[in-house]
């Protein structure tokens, strides 16, 4: 024991112990076996007598495996190089080649290390690399004390060795690395008089036990593309290069990411894996049952039995594989860390994640004690009373009964959660009439025809069209079964009155163009609650169906338990995006296209959440506008941060610029699909500031407007900048201020001052708020670095926000000729009405006389004409609040402001509902008579007769 330093074994102390054993004359294989015995003896004491944390135990065993395999690789390479020379590869073929990887010396020196030189050898070839990939618990750094180690060997490229010192015995790289695998096994896995270091299992390699022991990276990529099976994605989820250490240090092993990540994590939400995992789990259960036949004790397995360790791992891995393509922050190997991440992402209640984590730690500790008894890879609860008593005592239970009770409690929790997530027969359940589970016995066309008799006429006619639809006929059998069962379930719900036929027809129209994307069929089949919510949403209005067709992936949001209870939180939204960006950066996937798509997916998901809450009646029209405006603010902040960080000619850590929001963005009245009216300004003394900020803003606008595979974000309108579309895209704040204040010959028009009444500084948001104004909900100051607290804006950005507020206040409160102002506003109103004529006897809720635009123009007049004497009108608080303030200030007769405000609110509501249903915003004039009268009374009192 003197070879191993006191305390929990670490990589450093084990390396030192190994060196001491070698110094005593032990060859490497024997020294590693002796070291393993020392480590295991130490862990038994630490774990069972001193209550060491589970992480200390699993880390020690994992680091022992890493150390052993690294030394085994060095030994194998040294001896094989002596015989055959170094394996070589052209620098143009070595896919794993990192910048600066040294070139191989083709002549072996006989040393113990693979040798390289900094300059080109005679051939200019480079040494080919072998990567030892740890799978399962080894990859996740979770090895138990008697684990097999699951390994896969991959080398970067084919080629040929250099030959020995005489230039003889050249072999292919494939042969060289095949020999290396055998050599490494002899060092680590072979059982000698000293035992072994680890039992080695290569069954997870491509083509399993019939495949070669080592494969090239190119062959691995082809295997993933052509033959890779769904269950292998779960296996590769925890994969990690664990040796040689030199390949990890020089990052050449990073070349594997390009093959592994797209195989494990699909770009879309991948619910097809549910059936695959069900099948795998069923096979494991069946295998365990066969082993237990005639031996009841084998049925009590803490790993494979119901509620065992494997079900915890499957539960969390399923959520990771389904969503990890779009939510990279879920990509992590250790089970306990993954549980925390899925809880943070609201994919699992925090209490459930904590309960599964407690069960996992408990079961892993039981597993270790079982293995300490015989040093065997077993997970069966012992049947010998003394062994059970020892396990109970070392886990601090008073007796065996208390231990077994706790064991059963944990396993029941695990089994219950696993059944909730993965419950049901392969292919998913079917709730309702006609779900006889025999859909796969006949063709999908026959089954569709068979179910049509149970459907209402219009829906049956739509389903009948599918019987000859090429997309339906081209579906795989399992997908056709899912489609049939979805139709059956929808028909059953129609019969029960749970959903409307309109909803069913819109569902059919929505799903038809998506039939080739089978994961959506899988999602709806696996999640009946999502299916029902989707039908309710589609039945409520037309626009959700169009939005879902453009962004079908967002339907997964319907599975969230918090969907209808939460509101948009800007700080959390930004923090989540930063987490995802950081996750992509760790795997070197944070290129511009990936970030563009990340922004779009996040924005579309939030819009859809707001839409669902809107349609379900959880939010008012005003709350919808507030949330959509806060979302736009957050997207602008994140886009600005990311664009500036990627700007090639940036000259400072944070840009000294501001975004001024006008119109609906400025007034926090955004609707679905609204444009953003914004103006960009900067204040920077750098001699190249104008060029730098122009490039920055062009980049921002491109990021916001360009269409990618995930769609776009916003249309951007910058026409309100000084001199409109003929002006500079971004101007200095001084020039903006002079233009607005009327300094010099180039000054703002009255209509631009009208627009200023609804303007606000979006980046940075005003802190503190200007007199009477409301800060954007959830906004971060400056560009912000989202977190739990508020970030203080830089001096420059704080100054810009304060200066903008001062300019706005000065402009809108300046003295004016009220008669001239009224005439200009009446004239402008007539121009707007002429541009939007209303045909017939209908009433347009926005543009008719007595409609919303009338209210907005009256409010702008009141602010521009009276805010100098009534500063309570300076606040950018919205038209309704300003009308109420104007009435309170005596600028309106009692009741006029309040009635006009109520009318405006109702008109907004009518407009909002019409747009959701893609209906005209022109209604029967008689129905709008009372609303229009209230608005016309307001207009007559404030602006008099129309122009």
């Amino acid at each position: 024991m003197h070879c191993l330093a006191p305390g929990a074994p670490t990589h450093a102390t084990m390396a030192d112990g190994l060196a001491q054993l070698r110094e005593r004359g032990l060859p490497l294989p024997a020294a590693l076996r002796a070291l393993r015995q020392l480590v295991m003896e130490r862990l038994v004491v630490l774990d069972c007598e001193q209550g060491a944390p589970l992480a200390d135990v699993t880390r020690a065993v994992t680091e022992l495996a890493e150390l052993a395999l690294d030394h085994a690789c060095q030994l194998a390479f040294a001896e094989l190089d002596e015989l055959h020379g170094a394996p070589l590869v052209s620098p143009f073929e070595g896919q794993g080649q990192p910048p600066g990887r040294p070139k191989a010396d083709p002549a072996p020196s006989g040393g113990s290390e693979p040798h390289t030189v900094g300059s080109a050898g005679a051939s200019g070839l480079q040494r080919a690399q072998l990567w030892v990939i740890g799978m399962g618990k080894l990859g996740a750094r979770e090895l138990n004390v008697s684990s097999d180690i699951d390994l896969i060997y991959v080398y970067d490229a084919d080629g040929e060795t250099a030959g020995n010192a005489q230039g003889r015995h050249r072999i292919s790289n494939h042969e060289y690395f095949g020999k290396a695998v055998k050599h490494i096994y002899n060092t680590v896995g072979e059982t000698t008089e000293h035992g072994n270091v680890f039992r080695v299992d290569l069954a997870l390699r491509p083509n399993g036990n019939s495949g070669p022991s080592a494969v090239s990276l190119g062959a691995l990529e082809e295997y993933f593309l052509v033959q890779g099976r769904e269950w292998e994605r779960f296996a590769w989820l925890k994969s990690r290069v664990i040796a040689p250490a030199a390949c990890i240090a020089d990052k050449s092993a990073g070349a594997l990411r390009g093959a592994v990540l797209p195989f494990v994590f699909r770009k879309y939400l991948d619910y097809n894996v549910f059936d695959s995992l069900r099948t795998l789990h069923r096979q494991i259960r069946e295998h365990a049952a066969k082993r237990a036949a005639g031996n009841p004790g084998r049925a009590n397995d803490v790993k494979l039995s119901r509620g065992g360790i494997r079900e915890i791992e499957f539960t969390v891995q399923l959520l990771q594989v389904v969503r990890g393509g779009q939510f990279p922050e879920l990509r992590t190997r250790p089970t306990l860390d993954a549980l925390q991440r899925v809880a943070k992402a609201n994919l699992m209640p925090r209490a459930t994640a904590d309960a599964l984590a407690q069960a996992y730690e408990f079961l892993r500790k039981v597993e270790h004690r079982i293995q300490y008894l015989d040093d065997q890879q077993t997970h069966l609860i012992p049947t010998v009373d003394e062994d059970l008593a020892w396990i109970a005592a070392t886990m601090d239970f008073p007796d065996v009964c208390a231990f077994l009770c706790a064991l059963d409690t944990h396993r029941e929790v695990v089994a219950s959660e696993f059944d909730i997530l993965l419950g049901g027969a392969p292919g998913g359940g079917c709730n309702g009439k006609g779900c006889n589970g025999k859909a796969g016995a006949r063709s999908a066309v026959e089954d569709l025809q068979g179910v049509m008799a149970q459907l209402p006429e219009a829906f049956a006619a739509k389903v009948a069209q599918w019987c000859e639809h090429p997309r339906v006929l081209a579906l795989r059998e399992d997908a056709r079964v899912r489609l049939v069962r979805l139709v059956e379930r929808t028909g059953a719900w129609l019969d029960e009155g749970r959903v409307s036929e309109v909803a069913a027809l819109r569902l059919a129209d929505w799903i038809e163009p998506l039939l080739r994307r089978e994961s959506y069929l899988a999602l709806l089949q696996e999640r009946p609650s999502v299916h029902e919510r989707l039908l309710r949403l589609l039945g409520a209005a037309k626009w959700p169906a169009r939005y879902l067709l453009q962004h079908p992936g967002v339907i997964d949001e319907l599975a969230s338990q918090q969907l209808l209870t939460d509101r948009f939180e800007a700080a959390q939204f930004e923090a989540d995006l930063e987490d995802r960006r950081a996750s992509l950066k760790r795997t070197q996937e944070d290129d511009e296209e990936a970030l563009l798509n990340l922004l779009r997916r996040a924005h579309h998901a939030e819009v859809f959440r707001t839409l669902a809450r809107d349609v379900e009646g959880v939010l008012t029209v005003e709350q919808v506008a507030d949330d959509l405006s806060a979302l736009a603010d957050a997207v602008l902040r994140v886009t600005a941060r990311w664009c500036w960080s990627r700007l090639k000619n940036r000259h400072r850590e944070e840009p000294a610029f501001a975004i001024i929001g006008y119109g609906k963005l400025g007034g926090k009245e955004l609707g679905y699909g609204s444009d953003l009216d914004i103006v960009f300004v900067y204040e920077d003394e750098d001699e190249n500031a104008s060029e730098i900020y122009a490039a920055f803003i062009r980049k921002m606008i491109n990021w916001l407007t360009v269409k990618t595979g995930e769609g776009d974000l916003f249309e951007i309108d910058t026409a309100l900048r000084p001199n409109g579309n003929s002006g500079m895209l971004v101007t200095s704040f001084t020039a903006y201020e002079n233009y607005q204040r009327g300094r010099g010959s180039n000054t703002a028009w009255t209509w631009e001052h009208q627009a200023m009444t609804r303007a606000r500084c979006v980046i940075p948001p005003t802190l503190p708020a200007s007199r009477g104004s409301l800060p954007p909900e959830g906004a971060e100051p400056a560009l912000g670095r989202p977190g739990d607290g508020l970030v203080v804006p830089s001096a420059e950005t704080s100054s810009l926000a304060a200066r903008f507020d001062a300019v706005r206040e000065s402009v809108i409160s300046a003295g004016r000729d009220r008669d001239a102002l009224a005439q200009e506003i009446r004239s402008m109103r007539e121009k707007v009405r002429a541009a939007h004529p209303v045909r017939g006897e209908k009433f347009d809720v926005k543009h008719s006389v007595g409609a919303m635009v009338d209210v907005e123009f009256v409010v702008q007049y009141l602010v521009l004409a009276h805010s100098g004497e009534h500063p309570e009108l300076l606040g950018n608080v919205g038209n309704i609040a300003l009308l109420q303030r104007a009435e309170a200030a005596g600028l309106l007769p009692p009741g006029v402001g309040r009635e006009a405000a109520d009318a405006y609110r109702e008109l907004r509501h009518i407009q909002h509902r019409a747009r959701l249903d893609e209906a005209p915003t022109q209604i029967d004039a008689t129905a709008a008579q009372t609303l229009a009268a209230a608005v016309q009374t307001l207009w007559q009192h404030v602006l008099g007769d129309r122009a």
Side-chain angles (χ1 to χ4, degrees):
M1 293 291 284
H2 298 296
C3 294
L4 194 60
T10 65
H11 192 283
T13 60
M14 288 186 287
D16 183 62
L18 180 63
Q20 293 182 48
L21 290 167
R22 296 296 306 278
E23 288 171 3
R24 296 181 183 184
L26 288 177
L28 179 65
L32 286 171
R33 285 159 174 77
L35 177 64
R36 189 226 180 228
Q37 294 300 324
L38 295 176
V39 170
M40 292 304 150
E41 290 172 16
R42 176 69 54 78
L43 291 179
V44 172
V45 174
L46 291 173
D47 191 359
C48 299
E49 296 181 10
Q50 300 179 18
L54 174 66
D56 286 358
V57 178
T58 56
R59 183 182 63 246
V61 183
T62 300
E63 290 182 353
L64 174 63
E66 293 169 349
L67 178 70
L69 287 165
D70 182 47
H71 280 270
C73 286
Q74 292 181 34
L75 180 62
F77 296 158
E79 294 188 5
L80 290 172
D81 282 8
E82 189 70 24
L83 290 172
H84 304 288
L88 302 177
V89 61
S90 164
F92 301 105
E93 296 178 10
Q95 299 178 58
Q97 164 68 15
R101 186 173 91 180
K103 296 182 173 65
D105 180 352
S109 64
S112 61
E113 297 283 346
H115 39 272
T116 58
V117 294
S119 58
S123 63
L125 300 176
Q126 295 167 331
R127 183 183 183 94
Q129 301 286 352
L130 177 70
W131 303 311
V132 184
I133 302 169
M135 308 292 282
K137 287 184 169 62
L138 176 56
R141 296 184 173 89
E142 298 171 333
L143 275 183
N144 60 48
V145 293
S146 190
S147 278
D148 294 352
I149 53 175
D150 295 300
L151 302 178
I152 294 178
Y153 293 90
V154 178
Y155 58 93
D156 57 354
D158 288 311
E160 189 178 59
T161 64
N164 62 14
Q166 292 75 41
R168 302 170 61 188
H169 298 153
R170 288 188 175 89
I171 58 176
S172 69
N173 288 355
H174 182 76
E175 293 175 279
Y176 177 96
F177 290 122
K179 292 177 182 292
V181 171
K182 292 179 181 178
H183 199 293
I184 292 167
Y185 174 80
N186 291 337
T187 303
V188 174
E190 187 177 31
T191 301
T192 70
E193 67 272 19
H194 302 290
N196 59 28
V197 189
F198 288 97
R199 292 176 296 274
V200 178
D201 191 340
L202 303 185
L204 291 177
R205 68 188 186 270
N207 295 304
N209 291 328
S210 64
S213 58
V215 298
S216 69
L217 179 56
L220 179 67
E221 290 177 311
E222 184 177 358
Y223 176 83
F224 284 159
L225 186 64
V226 178
Q227 299 182 58
R229 290 160 289 184
E230 294 289 348
W231 69 262
E232 290 178 288
R233 296 170 59 195
F234 292 91
W236 280 90
L237 171 65
K238 292 191 174 188
S239 65
R240 177 172 62 93
V241 176
I242 57 170
C247 289
I248 300 171
D250 69 17
K251 300 189 184 305
S252 65
L256 266 169
R257 291 193 193 103
V260 175
L261 286 176
F263 174 64
V264 176
F265 301 110
R266 304 296 160 83
K267 290 183 179 180
Y268 47 83
L269 294 167
D270 188 11
Y271 276 81
N272 283 315
V273 298
F274 272 75
D275 268 357
S276 301
L277 192 57
R278 277 199 196 93
T279 301
L280 177 59
H281 184 255
R282 187 177 66 252
Q283 291 170 347
I284 291 172
R285 283 268 184 91
E286 289 172 353
H287 178 67
K290 288 178 182 177
R291 291 177 59 201
N295 188 348
R298 285 189 171 273
N300 208 353
D301 189 312
V302 296
K303 179 179 180 180
L304 301 180
S305 292
R306 183 175 184 272
I309 296 167
R310 181 57 54 83
E311 290 192 355
I312 301 175
E313 294 170 340
F314 277 0
T315 296
V316 69
Q317 287 172 14
L318 181 61
L319 294 172
Q320 288 179 284
V321 171
V322 167
R323 292 168 170 264
Q326 292 200 357
F327 301 94
E329 68 273 24
L330 298 177
R331 302 175 190 174
T332 187
R333 299 179 184 92
T335 301
L336 292 174
D337 182 39
L339 279 168
Q340 296 307 308
R341 294 192 186 203
V342 298
K344 183 180 179 182
N346 292 321
L347 302 180
M348 178 185 291
R350 173 64 61 182
T352 299
D354 291 343
L356 290 179
Q358 291 169 11
Y360 181 79
E361 291 212 31
F362 181 90
L363 293 171
R364 289 299 308 273
K365 288 181 178 180
V366 173
E367 175 188 50
H368 284 169
R369 281 152 179 77
I370 293 171
Q371 293 172 355
Y372 288 140
L373 289 169
D374 296 308
D375 192 18
Q376 295 293 319
Q377 174 72 344
T378 180
H379 311 90
L380 300 175
I381 297 292
T383 56
V384 178
D385 291 344
E386 290 81 0
D387 291 344
L388 275 174
W390 178 80
I391 292 176
T394 59
M395 294 190 69
D396 296 326
F397 286 97
D399 52 47
V400 172
C401 288
F403 162 68
L404 293 176
C405 181
L407 176 65
D408 287 344
T409 299
H410 283 300
R411 293 206 294 193
E412 189 57 39
V413 168
V414 174
S416 174
E417 292 303 324
F418 183 79
D419 290 342
I420 289 171
L421 180 68
L422 204 62
C430 181
N431 303 337
K433 289 195 310 184
C435 300
N436 52 23
K438 300 179 181 178
R442 302 176 295 170
S443 74
V445 170
E446 290 175 314
D447 280 302
L448 286 172
Q449 290 171 339
V451 80
M452 281 190 291
Q454 306 169 25
L455 305 178
E457 184 178 350
F459 187 42
K462 183 65 180 179
V463 172
Q465 296 173 12
W466 286 353
C467 294
E468 298 179 358
H469 199 293
R471 287 197 183 109
V472 173
L473 299 177
L475 287 175
R476 295 184 309 170
E477 182 60 30
D478 56 346
R480 285 191 237 171
V481 169
R482 288 191 179 112
L483 179 62
V484 170
R485 289 182 175 168
L486 284 175
V487 171
E488 288 176 334
R489 186 196 288 158
T490 303
W493 288 345
L494 283 168
D495 189 50
E496 295 168 14
R498 288 168 64 174
V499 299
S500 68
E501 187 172 9
V502 168
L505 290 170
R506 288 175 181 168
L507 174 70
D509 289 337
W510 173 76
I511 210 169
E512 188 174 294
L514 299 172
L515 284 172
R516 287 177 183 158
R517 301 167 75 170
E518 296 175 6
S519 62
Y520 296 117
L521 291 175
L523 166 59
L524 295 176
Q525 183 60 40
E526 294 291 345
R527 291 286 181 263
S529 63
V530 173
H531 182 194
E532 186 173 8
R533 274 186 176 178
L534 177 61
L535 282 164
R536 286 207 311 269
L537 191 67
L538 294 174
K542 291 181 181 178
W543 193 80
R546 187 180 302 278
Y547 192 80
L548 280 163
L549 193 57
Q550 293 171 335
H551 313 294
V554 300
I555 65 167
D556 190 62
E557 300 299 328
L558 293 172
S560 170
Q561 297 298 318
Q562 293 81 27
L563 177 67
L564 300 182
T565 58
D566 291 354
R567 289 280 300 276
F568 173 69
E569 295 181 13
Q572 187 62 53
F573 174 80
E574 294 185 53
D576 289 345
L577 277 172
E578 294 295 349
D579 285 347
R580 288 169 200 163
R581 184 193 185 195
S583 298
L584 290 175
K585 189 173 184 179
R586 282 194 292 271
T587 54
Q588 301 174 11
E589 295 176 279
D590 61 331
D591 57 81
E592 192 157 300
E593 182 181 3
L595 296 184
L596 288 171
N597 287 331
L598 194 62
L599 278 169
R600 281 151 179 74
R601 282 195 296 269
H603 175 260
H604 298 156
E606 283 297 342
V607 169
F608 183 69
R609 291 185 190 114
T610 301
L611 175 62
R613 294 165 191 149
D614 181 8
V615 170
E616 292 283 357
V618 175
L619 301 180
T620 65
V621 174
E622 290 79 9
Q623 288 173 325
V624 169
D626 284 345
D627 286 1
L628 292 177
S629 300
L631 173 60
D633 291 359
V635 170
L636 287 171
R637 283 193 297 274
V638 174
T639 303
R641 258 197 317 273
W642 291 2
C643 285
W644 185 257
S645 71
R646 302 175 76 89
L647 193 69
K648 293 180 181 178
N649 60 341
R650 68 187 176 104
H651 61 297
R652 55 193 296 155
E653 189 63 27
E654 186 173 305
F657 94 122
I659 295 178
I660 300 166
Y662 285 84
K664 292 187 180 299
L665 176 63
K668 293 176 66 176
E669 294 180 351
L670 282 185
Y672 304 110
S674 290
D675 296 351
L676 301 187
D677 293 301
I678 51 181
V679 170
F680 301 95
V681 295
Y682 70 91
E683 194 71 3
D684 194 321
E685 298 301 322
D686 189 272
E687 61 181 356
N688 297 316
S690 61
E691 292 85 356
I692 293 171
Y693 286 97
F696 173 45
I697 298 309
R698 283 196 297 270
K699 188 178 188 70
M700 268 198 73
I701 291 176
N702 180 63
W703 272 49
L704 293 165
T705 60
V706 68
K707 289 187 181 295
T708 72
E710 298 288 344
D712 59 4
L713 287 169
F714 299 103
E715 291 295 324
I716 302 298
D717 190 340
T718 60
L720 286 169
R721 66 187 187 271
N723 298 307
N725 290 328
S726 62
M728 299 288 290
L729 187 61
V730 57
T731 61
S732 71
F733 189 85
T734 299
Y736 173 83
E737 180 178 10
N738 290 338
Y739 179 81
Q740 294 294 346
R741 289 183 184 268
R743 296 170 181 168
S745 58
N746 186 27
T747 62
W749 297 79
T750 298
W751 65 266
E752 291 177 282
H753 289 170
Q754 288 178 250
M756 183 68 88
T757 65
R758 303 180 70 192
R760 64 183 173 91
C761 204
V762 176
I763 296 180
T766 304
L767 291 174
S770 64
R771 198 167 14 182
S773 68
L774 299 175
E777 293 182 11
E780 296 281 347
L783 298 188
R785 282 171 288 278
D788 294 331
L790 207 57
V791 181
V792 177
S794 66
E796 290 94 339
T797 52
S798 293
S799 173
L800 280 176
R803 288 174 64 187
F804 168 77
D805 284 344
V807 169
R808 177 182 178 274
E809 184 171 319
S810 173
V811 168
I812 65 178
S813 63
R816 291 176 172 82
D817 181 327
R818 293 175 180 170
D819 290 339
L821 175 63
Q823 182 55 42
E824 283 193 70
I825 288 181
R826 285 194 295 266
S827 176
M828 179 63 67
R829 176 66 183 101
E830 287 308 308
K831 289 180 181 178
V832 172
R833 183 160 43 245
H836 298 86
V838 180
R839 310 246 190 266
E841 299 300 319
K842 293 290 186 179
F843 177 85
D844 189 297
V845 298
K846 182 174 182 180
H847 292 292
S848 288
V849 172
M852 293 167 60
V853 175
D854 278 0
V855 176
E856 292 163 1
F857 274 59
V858 167
V859 170
Q860 290 163 13
Y861 171 81
L862 290 170
V863 171
L864 292 175
H866 298 288
S867 58
E869 294 83 11
H870 298 280
E872 62 269 30
L873 298 180
L874 289 171
N876 184 1
V877 294
N879 294 308
I880 293 172
L882 286 169
L883 284 172
Q884 293 167 345
R885 292 184 182 189
E887 183 174 315
L891 299 175
L892 298 173
V896 169
R898 176 177 51 78
E899 291 174 6
D902 291 344
Y904 183 77
R905 180 184 289 110
E906 182 60 24
L907 290 169
R908 277 189 67 187
H909 180 76
I910 294 170
Q911 180 192 54
H912 182 74
R913 301 309 303 178
R915 288 180 173 174
L916 270 183
D917 208 31
E918 297 184 342
T921 56
Q922 297 177 359
I923 63 176
D924 183 74
T926 304
Q929 189 172 359
T930 302
L931 302 175
V935 173
Q936 290 186 64
T937 299
L938 172 71
W939 178 280
Q940 186 65 36
H941 180 81
V942 176
L943 293 172
D945 295 333
R946 297 182 182 272

